[in-house]
Amino acid sequence: MPPQTPTPTDHRRWLRLTLDLAREAQQAGSAPVGAVLVDASGHEVARGRNRVGEAQTPEHVGKASVAHAEMDLYFSAGSLDNPETLTLYTSLEPCLMCGGASALLGVGRVVWVTDDPWGGSGRLIRWSDHPAMQDTEVIPTPDPELEREGARLFAPEARRAFPDEGWQLWRQRYPRETEGL
């Protein structure tokens, strides 16, 4: 059972926070991705940000390819009570690992700011076709203004990290946001 349906204002509030966390990750030397887990009452349960480029601490997994924002959030949250009532907000479409973890944990809804035409799960398997995602509501990019902001924020990382094919997919999906990079 998915959590209660949030309003566009609710989405905007949490998606804005994911972008703030993405900027924190970028300032710390990691890829700019942030995530927030919210309960059905609209209260924050946990937050995370990409920590791949950071040292590991007792509180956070770092310097590991699994130190994505969503995984940071799930590791810090620990055991989830009533995960089907929770919403994961993230600044970038989750990769297969993070999307799969969300489904396996039973998170009721996943909402992201910016599509990831190369690294997002949707490139490999449509979210609705993923066997573990059948009970998860997926809401991609509900706010066009924030989507453009997120694409501009992540585009330099996409240019740096993705192979030519991946960068071309980004340029096709976000031509204005990648112009000049």
Side-chain angles (χ1 to χ4, degrees):
M1 172 175 101
Q4 293 177 346
T5 305
T7 67
T9 302
D10 294 330
H11 286 322
R12 188 171 180 77
R13 170 188 174 200
W14 296 113
L15 293 173
R16 166 84 34 224
L17 178 55
T18 69
L19 290 171
D20 292 344
L21 291 165
R23 286 184 188 87
E24 283 182 26
Q26 186 178 49
Q27 290 171 353
S30 291
V33 183
V36 181
L37 194 61
V38 177
D39 69 17
S41 299
H43 297 104
E44 181 179 320
V45 173
R47 63 174 62 187
R49 61 179 177 76
N50 190 295
R51 295 178 185 277
V52 172
E54 300 174 47
Q56 186 161 327
T57 69
E59 297 82 25
H60 298 284
V61 174
K63 287 209 185 257
S65 59
V66 297
H68 291 191
E70 299 88 347
M71 300 307 285
D72 180 46
L73 176 151
Y74 290 137
F75 282 119
S76 69
S79 180
L80 299 176
D81 295 327
N82 304 310
E84 71 280 0
T85 66
L86 302 176
T87 299
L88 171 68
Y89 288 97
T90 183
S91 63
L92 188 66
E93 177 184 0
C95 69
L96 201 54
M97 173 181 68
C98 296
S102 300
L104 291 172
L105 290 168
V107 173
R109 180 182 295 120
V110 177
V111 184
W112 63 81
V113 175
T114 304
D115 290 337
D116 185 349
W118 174 256
S121 288
R123 182 176 75 88
L124 303 173
I125 181 172
R126 286 193 324 235
W127 284 87
S128 60
D129 289 345
H130 193 294
M133 296 296 284
Q134 298 307 302
D135 295 327
T136 303
E137 180 183 5
V138 176
I139 303 174
T141 63
D143 187 306
E145 180 185 334
L146 291 181
E147 179 184 9
R148 288 186 296 275
E149 183 179 335
R152 285 189 302 272
L153 179 62
F154 193 80
E157 177 67 14
R159 175 76 173 116
R160 183 197 68 75
F162 295 156
D164 290 339
E165 178 186 1
W167 178 237
Q168 290 307 315
L169 289 173
W170 261 83
R171 292 187 66 204
Q172 289 170 13
R173 176 66 178 93
Y174 294 110
R176 289 194 319 229
E177 293 79 2
T178 58
E179 190 174 342
L181 292 179

